[in-house]
Amino acid sequence: MIHWVFLPVLLPLIGGLLQLVLRHKGLSFQRTLGLCLTSALVILGIKMLLLAQTGETFVYHLGNWPAPFGIVLVLDRLSAMMLMLTSLIACAALAYASARRVDEKGSHFHVLFQLQLFGLNGAFLTGDIFNLFVFFEVLLLASYGLVLHGSGKKRTRAGLHYVIVNLLGSTLYLFAVGALYGAVGTLNIADMAYKVSVAPAERSGLIAAAGLLLLVVFCLKAAMFPLYLWLPRAYANTSAPVAALFAIMTKVGLYAIIRVHGTVFGDQAGNLASLHMPWILAGGLITILLAAMGVMAARGLSEQVAYLVLTSVATILIAVGLNRPDALAAGLFYLLHSTFLAAAFFLLADMIKDARGNAADSFETIVQPQCSKWLGLGFFFAAVAMAGLPPLSGFLGKLMILDSALKHSWGWTVLGIVLTASLLVLAAMVRSGSFLFYRPTQLPVEENPQTGKSPKIAPLLIMGSLLAVSPLLVLFAGKATTYTSKTATQLQQVSEYIEDVLESQVKGGTESQK
Amino acid sequence: MEILVSISIGVMAACGIYLILRAHTFPVVVGLTLLSYAVNVFLFSMGRLKVGAPAVISPEAVTYADPLPQALVLTAIVIAFAMTAFVIVLALKARDELGNDHVDGKGEQLTDTEEAGL
């Protein structure tokens, strides 16, 4: 029973190794295997969600060492939600990659894909701050390979920036973890939260410095101002399914902020409580404005979508930074919405790029090929949801965030900035939509045989199913918000988390000697 | 000893950061390596510096060195080693494809079709 918690980490690892060993069996075999593995991950995700829904915190002791001496995996509502989200996005991205044969363009796509999932799931489950570093490295190393998958000068250049920036981030992470360990003498997140709450006052400066250094690293992963400059190029220039999967990567940074800082610098931390909140709120507000300007200024749809990812990250940062349970719940709802939408949008941009031939997805007047009406419809849906117009889920999420923002002392500032950014995004989406779909045809399509091919049905369906999450989130908004608000409440009760992790019993006897 | 170690960490980190800001791939790689050396020594010293104290249980020992940072350093060394190897290969690939070793690939004008069609 308790071993369930370990499976989402183990399955992609074994899957990745299998993909490596069995690669001689050909791509179609690898595709089938990959899809089976990710589908199994979805089923596991549902299982995790059902487990977590009871409100209990499940603690798995690796090697059967009791916390805080051994490494623990912790499953609670937030982890389960992130696991589910990852598996669904992964399924769609892999299906799209198989349908569009993206995996042919380089070697080991499937191996890297599984290892990426291994890193992601591990990061979402671990309860140990150094183990989190290791999983970060796993997912980053896999992502380096995936970013560079295929080829092209721009991809190499963007990939080089991405790799160097993240290597620097990893080094900073180690400095922060080392300083935290030096100050409180533990690496277990729950134990650290406890030790910080009882730490002597003369240590608090060191703990605060280390905590904020750690925040810098997480903000780099989440792409907060001024550490977001690596993101647009890397996301816009990589292949579409990889970009879709990466929609979850910025959320890893957000998750780490919520998990590590929310726990260690929670209410019990005395004068260190919530020391990260003002930074996140201010950073989020600046990021959303700059990202909205990026959306306006983008020269191609992929680049625009990359900036849209930034606006959604910034929105969630603002929700977290408001430091209220209802805002956090709304932020988590927005996280679900924006991850699915961003993934769908990247796939859509890829199909539009394909349909427009040489002009790709740049916003320029071209001899207009016939973009399929389904692409136009998809763009309309995605744009409405992303800009936050009713009736789709973006509106609902933003409404809830702004509603709870009004009870904060910065309420009106937040309201003004978020709405300005939304307006800019809306204007940009209208502009790019008319560029891509409404420009008059100057030459008949037949004269340019390269363009005007309509996309195949399978990629459209995959993109459509991701888009369909948006209306579904509205239809089942009651259930979704109940879950997220319970998650937010659980995250606020740090002392219970500490108790659950530190006092969880190690299974004795032979049954746990697996 | 503490002063010596902290000065050496500081100097290594400063050199590393200077080299990373050089914007050519080779200095950047060397800079990253120096920075990872600095962080390794830093992690090690976070277990407090002790001379001649064993990290594992021994009957004669009166005091122990903290074994956990040593394990962390070991992990960090392995990871940094792998990452350095990767970034060197990537830098070579970038040098090959972009025609120079600037991190922005400067001096190379992408033509319009390359710009658009990747």
Side-chain angles (χ1 to χ4, degrees):
Chain A
M1 173 61 187
I2 200 78
H3 289 293
W4 278 106
V5 179
F6 191 41
L7 280 183
V9 186
L10 199 59
L11 185 72
L13 176 63
I14 295 174
L17 295 177
L18 274 182
Q19 293 277 26
L20 187 64
V21 175
L22 300 176
R23 67 185 185 284
H24 59 275
K25 298 214 172 188
L27 272 176
S28 57
F29 175 80
Q30 281 194 313
R31 280 173 198 154
T32 322
L33 182 61
L35 284 174
C36 288
L37 286 165
T38 38
S39 318
L41 218 52
V42 172
I43 296 168
L44 263 180
I46 295 171
K47 172 77 187 161
M48 295 293 133
L49 214 53
L50 290 177
L51 276 178
Q53 208 159 27
T54 57
E56 209 181 321
T57 307
F58 292 87
V59 182
Y60 183 78
H61 301 90
L62 289 170
N64 225 2
W65 287 87
F69 305 109
I71 292 169
V72 289
L73 299 182
V74 185
L75 177 81
D76 62 357
R77 283 203 176 91
L78 181 62
S79 318
M81 188 181 101
M82 299 307 289
L83 287 177
M84 189 71 224
L85 188 61
T86 311
S87 61
L88 286 176
I89 299 281
C91 230
L94 193 63
Y96 185 88
S98 308
R100 289 292 301 268
R101 302 175 174 275
V102 177
D103 49 355
E104 282 173 356
K105 292 181 182 141
S107 47
H108 300 309
F109 179 84
H110 293 277
V111 181
L112 290 170
F113 197 90
Q114 292 296 328
L115 290 179
Q116 171 89 61
L117 293 179
F118 167 57
L120 282 168
N121 286 354
F124 290 139
L125 276 175
T126 186
D128 182 281
I129 206 164
F130 194 79
N131 199 227
L132 183 63
F133 166 76
V134 175
F135 278 122
F136 267 162
E137 291 308 301
V138 171
L139 76 88
L140 283 175
L141 196 49
S143 78
Y144 300 155
L146 286 176
V147 160
L148 295 161
H149 180 77
S151 51
K153 286 179 183 176
K154 290 183 79 181
R155 198 169 287 182
T156 307
R157 194 170 56 177
L160 191 65
H161 288 185
Y162 176 75
V163 172
I164 290 174
V165 165
N166 275 302
L167 282 180
L168 200 57
S170 305
T171 316
L172 284 184
Y173 191 119
L174 280 178
F175 273 115
V177 167
L180 272 177
Y181 179 79
V184 295
T186 183
L187 291 167
N188 184 297
I189 297 173
D191 194 33
M192 189 175 281
Y194 170 71
K195 293 270 170 62
V196 165
S197 68
V198 296
E202 70 264 20
R203 282 278 167 83
S204 65
L206 186 59
I207 296 171
L212 288 176
L213 186 59
L214 200 57
L215 185 69
V216 170
V217 181
F218 292 156
C219 288
L220 175 78
K221 313 261 183 230
M224 187 181 90
F225 171 83
L227 304 166
Y228 69 86
L229 294 165
W230 57 271
L231 185 139
R233 242 190 201 169
Y235 280 35
N237 288 315
T238 188
S239 57
V242 174
L245 181 65
F246 279 15
I248 198 99
M249 290 272 283
T250 47
K251 273 69 179 184
V252 179
L254 287 166
Y255 168 84
I257 293 173
I258 297 172
R259 169 68 74 217
V260 177
H261 286 83
T263 310
V264 175
F265 301 109
D267 290 336
Q268 86 295 344
N271 59 349
L272 288 174
S274 312
L275 92 155
H276 57 298
M277 291 302 185
W279 295 97
I280 295 180
L281 185 54
L285 288 174
I286 301 173
T287 314
I288 200 170
L289 269 187
L290 289 175
M293 288 177 198
V295 172
M296 293 284 283
R299 286 177 302 169
L301 188 57
S302 304
E303 197 184 339
Q304 192 164 47
V305 180
Y307 276 108
L308 283 173
V309 170
L310 266 183
T311 57
S312 65
V313 165
T315 314
I316 304 166
L317 279 171
I318 291 169
V320 174
L322 287 170
N323 199 12
R324 302 173 47 86
D326 50 348
L328 184 58
L332 290 175
F333 180 83
Y334 197 81
L335 189 150
L336 288 177
H337 144 83
S338 67
T339 312
F340 280 112
L341 255 289
F345 225 142
F346 274 120
L347 301 185
L348 182 70
D350 185 53
M351 282 187 274
I352 291 176
K353 200 185 272 183
D354 204 45
R356 277 165 56 100
N358 285 340
D361 64 347
S362 62
F363 300 134
E364 52 184 284
T365 316
I366 57 160
V367 180
Q368 180 71 11
Q370 230 84 53
C371 263
S372 143
K373 60 176 181 290
W374 293 109
L375 287 182
L377 197 64
F379 180 85
F380 178 68
F381 253 94
V384 165
M386 264 296 184
L389 292 183
L392 293 181
S393 54
F395 169 72
L396 213 55
K398 250 180 208 166
L399 185 71
M400 289 192 287
I401 292 175
L402 293 182
D403 186 40
S404 48
L406 283 181
K407 296 166 198 147
H408 191 271
S409 55
W410 288 25
W412 290 101
T413 323
V414 173
L415 199 72
I417 291 180
V418 171
L419 288 182
T420 313
S422 304
L423 184 66
L424 290 179
V425 168
L426 182 63
M429 299 313 296
V430 169
R431 179 172 153 273
S432 49
S434 44
F435 259 117
L436 293 170
F437 296 101
Y438 279 166
R439 291 287 150 145
T441 306
Q442 291 168 351
L443 285 170
V445 182
E446 290 77 33
E447 292 189 9
N448 198 345
Q450 289 170 316
T451 58
K453 55 183 172 187
S454 64
K456 290 198 191 90
I457 191 81
L460 260 181
L461 273 182
I462 295 161
M463 191 272 297
S465 59
L466 281 175
L467 275 184
V469 171
S470 187
L472 281 180
L473 269 178
V474 176
L475 280 179
F476 297 102
K479 281 196 173 152
T481 48
T482 314
Y483 188 85
T484 54
S485 51
K486 276 189 183 164
T487 310
T489 322
Q490 192 180 34
L491 288 169
Q492 296 282 317
Q493 292 159 344
V494 177
S495 53
E496 282 182 24
Y497 176 83
I498 297 174
E499 218 168 274
D500 283 339
V501 173
L502 292 185
E503 289 175 13
S504 55
Q505 293 298 313
V506 176
K507 283 280 180 86
T510 46
E511 53 160 333
S512 54
Q513 298 294 319
K514 246 183 188 176
Chain B
M1 187 166 66
E2 275 81 2
I3 292 174
L4 195 64
V5 170
S6 32
I7 288 175
S8 65
I9 294 172
V11 170
M12 270 196 288
C15 294
I17 290 166
Y18 174 77
L19 284 172
I20 286 170
L21 296 176
R22 295 288 291 165
H24 284 269
T25 46
F26 183 68
V28 167
V29 173
V30 177
L32 282 171
T33 316
L34 272 180
L35 207 55
S36 72
Y37 289 166
V39 82
N40 287 342
V41 182
F42 176 77
L43 273 181
F44 189 74
S45 63
M46 277 301 114
R48 309 295 182 269
L49 297 170
K50 284 187 184 124
V51 178
V56 280
I57 296 172
S58 100
E60 298 97 60
V62 268
T63 174
Y64 288 102
D66 192 346
L68 193 69
Q70 305 187 3
L72 301 188
V73 171
L74 207 57
T75 317
I77 288 174
V78 174
I79 290 176
F81 190 66
M83 293 297 175
T84 310
F86 180 80
V87 81
I88 286 174
V89 173
L90 181 60
L92 283 175
K93 181 179 153 80
R95 166 75 184 75
D96 193 36
E97 283 186 8
L98 303 171
N100 62 64
D101 70 341
H102 195 277
V103 285
D104 285 334
K106 286 236 176 79
E108 167 80 5
Q109 291 298 314
L110 292 176
T111 61
D112 281 349
T113 45
E114 279 168 339
E115 189 81 34
L118 297 182

